[in-house]
Amino acid sequence: APLVIPCGACYSFDLVGNVTFPGGLDIVGKLVFPTDHPATTIRTPSVVVQGVLEVSTAPSARISPEDRSVTFVLTGLDDVKWRPAEGDACDSQSKDLCNLGAKPFVVAGGRLDVRAMPPSCSSWTTILDKVVTKPVKDPEDFPQFETLPPACPTQGIHFIQEDFSGGVGNWRGH
């Protein structure tokens, strides 16, 4: 059975080194990796986030392997069967468990909050900011067609000799 972070609970991860959850990890509540947490490798066949998984690195001016706070290594080859915390099953008719396949890392209605870049490095933006702001269009951002060199004829060239007026295959003209 997976290790379950229960609904309504907030756990701060305090294990270090190599940690193994042989039955998987099912986060229904909230699991937080503090910014000052030492590097940890979690080995597990599955991670399912129905609640909140929050991972932050220490605020640093440089990104490097030493700044890595948590690494997930998904293990095993067997399909993982799972039941949502709310509801009976994935298929309400047959009441079957959800087959997530092998090595799933699934956000199932929850929230994954990974802050791996320092605040000084703008690495993401909210969708609403892009929807509300009028985009600035620069013609140089779009591909431009090159004009033919002067040596190339510009009249009398027929690249396609068919006008489809008599029909070709399923194609019909005007």
Side-chain angles (χ1 to χ4, degrees), residues 13-91:
F13 198 87
D14 60 358
L15 303 173
V16 294
N18 290 323
V19 179
T20 301
F21 299 120
L25 181 59
D26 190 359
I27 303 165
V28 183
K30 184 174 184 177
L31 179 60
V32 176
F33 287 82
T35 57
D36 60 348
H37 189 271
T40 300
T41 298
I42 298 175
R43 297 180 186 284
T44 183
S46 65
V47 176
V48 177
V49 181
Q50 299 181 74
V52 178
L53 173 59
E54 186 177 300
V55 180
S56 298
T57 58
S60 171
R62 68 183 183 85
I63 302 300
S64 69
E66 295 80 32
D67 291 334
R68 194 177 303 139
S69 67
V70 62
T71 302
F72 289 93
V73 177
L74 298 172
T75 60
L77 300 173
D78 296 333
D79 286 349
V80 173
K81 307 287 197 233
W82 169 79
R83 181 179 308 279
E86 292 184 17
D88 294 333
C90 284
D91 181 356

Side-chain angles (χ1 to χ4, degrees), residues 46 50 117 145 171:
S46 65
Q50 299 181 74
M117 303 295 279
F145 290 101
W171 292 91

Side-chain angles (χ1 to χ4, degrees), residues 24-168:
L25 181 59
D26 190 359
I27 303 165
V28 183
K30 184 174 184 177
L31 179 60
V32 176
F33 287 82
T35 57
D36 60 348
H37 189 271
T40 300
T41 298
I42 298 175
R43 297 180 186 284
T44 183
S46 65
V47 176
V48 177
V49 181
Q50 299 181 74
V52 178
L53 173 59
E54 186 177 300
V55 180
S56 298
T57 58
S60 171
R62 68 183 183 85
I63 302 300
S64 69
E66 295 80 32
D67 291 334
R68 194 177 303 139
S69 67
V70 62
T71 302
F72 289 93
V73 177
L74 298 172
T75 60
L77 300 173
D78 296 333
D79 286 349
V80 173
K81 307 287 197 233
W82 169 79
R83 181 179 308 279
E86 292 184 17
D88 294 333
C90 284
D91 181 356
S92 61
Q93 300 299 319
S94 68
K95 306 291 186 204
D96 284 342
L97 296 175
C98 302
N99 184 353
L100 301 179
K103 302 180 183 183
F105 193 117
V106 177
V107 179
R111 188 176 86 223
L112 180 62
D113 188 2
V114 178
R115 305 280 177 147
M117 303 295 279
S120 61
C121 180
S122 179
S123 61
W124 62 277
T125 186
T126 60
I127 293 173
L128 186 59
D129 287 344
K130 292 299 177 190
V131 171
V132 175
T133 328
K134 190 169 187 151
V136 177
K137 296 180 181 150
D138 182 358
E140 296 298 319
D141 293 340
F142 300 95
Q144 304 291 317
F145 290 101
E146 299 288 330
T147 55
L148 292 173
C152 295
T154 57
Q155 295 181 356
I157 299 174
H158 297 288
F159 292 103
I160 300 176
Q161 298 293 329
E162 181 60 56
D163 66 1
F164 301 103
S165 59
V168 174

